[in-house]
């Protein structure tokens, strides 16, 4: 499903509550007069407070000006439903903090990848070696590159390098990469296996004979 980050200027975006791309109805209050003696009469303070309501689930998001305030999970896409629980925990924590601490989010996503390696048949002790192990088993280049982007950016969050891990946009781009890795290495194989298992027994026997004769 297409992900559109929450924005007060969009008619529709991916709801942080339900994860569905849906119409978001908005209303709000804009203060355009001096605030009861706090400011001089000559000063005009504009402080728009807005709420958006999801057409799909009915939940609300809170905005101050153009800034998204609640729920507190940033603009990150929701985790792939097939993501292992311990990996998803780090992913969700990174989503909650990345607008406040991009470096912290990048480090957490690197940790999530390290935990994911165990589910992919690797040791989970050294991500670089684990990626090399997957490449030796035929890992496609695009997935290797996605893994290395998360690995290197997460490393730079702890050990500064050439990439700016303190950049919110850099951190934001890591979330869909983690989802893509899970989609390719966990979700897609599971769906293909399920469809293959549903084939008639005779067809599967013929396939096995064909491949065994090679």
């Amino acid at each position: 499903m297409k992900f559109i980050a929450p924005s007060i200027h969009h008619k529709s975006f991916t709801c942080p509550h339900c994860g569905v791309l849906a119409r978001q109805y908005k209303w709000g209050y804009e203060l355009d007069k001096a605030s009861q003696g706090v400011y001089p009469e000559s000063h005009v303070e504009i402080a728009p407070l807005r709420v958006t309501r999801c057409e799909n689930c009915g939940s609300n998001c809170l905005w101050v000006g153009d800034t998204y305030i609640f729920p507190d999970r940033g603009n990150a896409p929701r985790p792939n439903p097939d993501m292992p629980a311990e990996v998803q925990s780090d992913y969700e924590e990174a989503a909650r903090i990345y607008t406040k601490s991009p470096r912290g989010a990048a480090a957490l996503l690197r940790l999530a990848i390290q935990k994911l390696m165990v589910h992919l048949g690797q040791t989970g002790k050294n991500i670089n070696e684990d990626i090399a192990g997957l490449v030796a088993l035929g890992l496609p280049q695009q997935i290797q590159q996605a893994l290395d982007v998360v690995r290197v950016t997460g490393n730079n969050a702890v050990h500064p390098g050439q990439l700016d891990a303190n950049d919110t946009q850099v951190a934001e781009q890591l979330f869909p990469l983690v989802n893509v890795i899970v989609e390719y290495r966990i979700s897609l194989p599971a769906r293909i296996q399920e469809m293959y298992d549903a084939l008639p027994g005779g067809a599967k026997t013929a396939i096995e004979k064909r491949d065994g004769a090679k």
Side-chain angles (χ1 to χ4, degrees), residues 118-131:
V118 178
H119 291 269
L120 301 182
Q122 302 302 307
T123 65
K125 295 179 180 179
N126 184 301
I127 299 180
N128 195 42
E129 293 178 1
D130 287 346
I131 294 174

Side-chain angles (χ1 to χ4, degrees), residues 108-139:
L108 279 167
L109 290 175
R110 181 196 177 281
L111 178 61
I113 288 296
Q114 186 167 358
K115 292 179 179 179
L116 180 62
M117 285 298 176
V118 178
H119 291 269
L120 301 182
Q122 302 302 307
T123 65
K125 295 179 180 179
N126 184 301
I127 299 180
N128 195 42
E129 293 178 1
D130 287 346
I131 294 174
L134 291 174
V135 169
L137 294 173
L139 184 73

